[in-house]
Amino acid sequence: KSIYRLFLAHIGISPVQFRGILKFRQAVKKSTRFSYANRMSRMAADSGYYDQANLVNEFKKFTNNTPKKFLSAVTMNADKKIVWKFE
């Protein structure tokens, strides 16, 4: 419980929320690879989600968009960093 309170005080969110954000970011990073373009179930499994439906729910929770709509707006800049825009 003390670790939870320290994490919340220093990071501002719970460890479970932080882990969810990390998994989401990993899924977005994997989606930029060509081999993952049409394989949402594999991307979900490799990113630590239970299944494709779990990944879709997380996308909707974080972005209010479906993965297809969100990932169509994801681009790579000149420094090979992922860029996306929230509207």
Side-chain angles (χ1 to χ4, degrees), residues 56 59-70 86:
V56 170
F59 263 90
K60 288 180 180 178
K61 182 173 86 174
F62 286 122
T63 67
N64 294 325
N65 285 314
T66 61
K68 184 176 182 177
K69 186 174 181 181
F70 177 78
F86 287 106

Side-chain angles (χ1 to χ4, degrees), residues 11-67:
I11 304 295
I13 57 176
S14 73
V16 173
Q17 291 171 317
F18 188 74
R19 183 182 64 206
I21 291 169
L22 290 179
K23 283 185 354 182
F24 172 76
R25 289 176 58 99
Q26 184 176 6
V28 171
K29 185 177 180 181
K30 287 184 182 292
S31 72
T32 60
R33 296 183 186 159
F34 181 76
S35 63
Y36 284 94
N38 294 319
R39 297 187 180 112
M40 291 295 291
S41 59
R42 184 170 178 184
M43 184 175 68
D46 288 351
S47 299
Y49 290 98
Y50 298 114
D51 56 9
Q52 183 176 348
N54 185 233
L55 173 66
V56 170
N57 288 334
E58 288 290 307
F59 263 90
K60 288 180 180 178
K61 182 173 86 174
F62 286 122
T63 67
N64 294 325
N65 285 314
T66 61

